[in-house]
Each structure stands twice: as C-alpha cells, then as structure tokens.
Amino acid sequence: RCLAFNDRVLEVLQSLENVKLVVLSSPFSYYLTGTPMWRVTEHGLVSAPPTRGQILDSFAKVVEAARLRDAEVVVVGPTPRYEKADMGYCAEKLLAGRWLPPHLSGCVIDRAEAEVQQRDALDFLADLHEFTGVRIVDLFDVLCDEAKCMTGNDGYNLYQDYGHLSRRGSEYVVG
C-alpha cells in the first residue's frame, strides 16, 4: 500500500509543473517491520516483505523524480514516541491539570529510549541520506534535548496522538 503510494507520488510529480518543494514524511518503521506489501513485478502482483534495498530504491525514485523537476526534497523523520502511551492524550490531561499515572509524570519522552525503539527508522534515514544526499529533518533534534523530548510547549500540546504532531506541533517544528 505505502510503496504503491510512492508510485502514485511519482506519477503526480511527473504530471505537475513548477513544483518547488517535495516533503516526504513517515514513521518509516512500518516499511522496516517485515510486513508483506503488494508490489507489481515482472512476475505480476506479489505480496512479500520488501528488502531494505527495495525500500531505499522506492524512496530514491521519488527523490530523483522531484529533482528532475528542480524541486527541493526534504524528508521529515519520525516523531519521538513513547510506545506505552498516547502522548497527545497525556499532554492534554497534563495541561488540564488532571491526574496522570506515575510512569507518565510530566508527559516527557526519554530520548534514549525513544531512539532505541525507533533505531531501524533512524538508521534507514541515515542510509537514505547517504544514498541520495536528500536533506533529513530529524525531529529528535527539534523536539529533544540530550535527555528528554517535549510533548508540550508554552501551554500547547505538540502531539495529536502516539506519533502525529498536532497543528501547533507542526507549527513549532517549522517555526
């Protein structure tokens, strides 16, 4: 499904004129879990887990197609996540002054733990940068200090749910 989406992006890129910026964003971990994906091959429609090389090639095709149109390409990495809790919900409760269980105190994400949980995706982005030279926006660098990642800022929730930024969170990232 997702690799087919990339193919559709290629089609759209080839049909548009005056594209200046292409932003690719994903948690990326979905591609790397070994989940079977449908692909069209010379043997027809095949469902199998893609290899890391196939995933890199798929993204590289989109990057190359955008560059052929003189568009800048930016890849936005995954948000830091705490797999055991919805940080959007947590921050909402915290901002409202409601009770939180001790393991969610402050709705803070431990950076080292989040990086371990998302190591495959972060390594994939490093490979994608090396393979294509594409600019990577590392949300860990934007939302975290050396130890903790924030989920709220100036009284606003930065997360919508487990891994999606809220509108304010998106504004914070690009601001």
Side-chain angles (χ1 to χ4, degrees), residues 86-101:
D86 177 339
M87 284 295 124
Y89 179 71
C90 182
E92 184 180 301
K93 287 182 81 168
L94 180 68
L95 292 171
R98 295 173 56 201
W99 179 85
L100 290 168

Side-chain angles (χ1 to χ4, degrees), residues 134-166:
V134 71
R135 180 175 156 221
I136 306 290
V137 175
D138 186 340
L139 293 181
F140 280 79
D141 290 341
V142 176
L143 297 171
C144 309
D145 61 22
E146 298 80 31
K148 305 281 183 209
C149 304
M150 65 175 146
T151 58
N153 185 49
D154 290 334
Y156 293 103
N157 186 358
L158 298 179
Y159 280 75
Q160 178 177 312
D161 56 25
Y162 283 92
H164 294 96
L165 293 173
S166 66

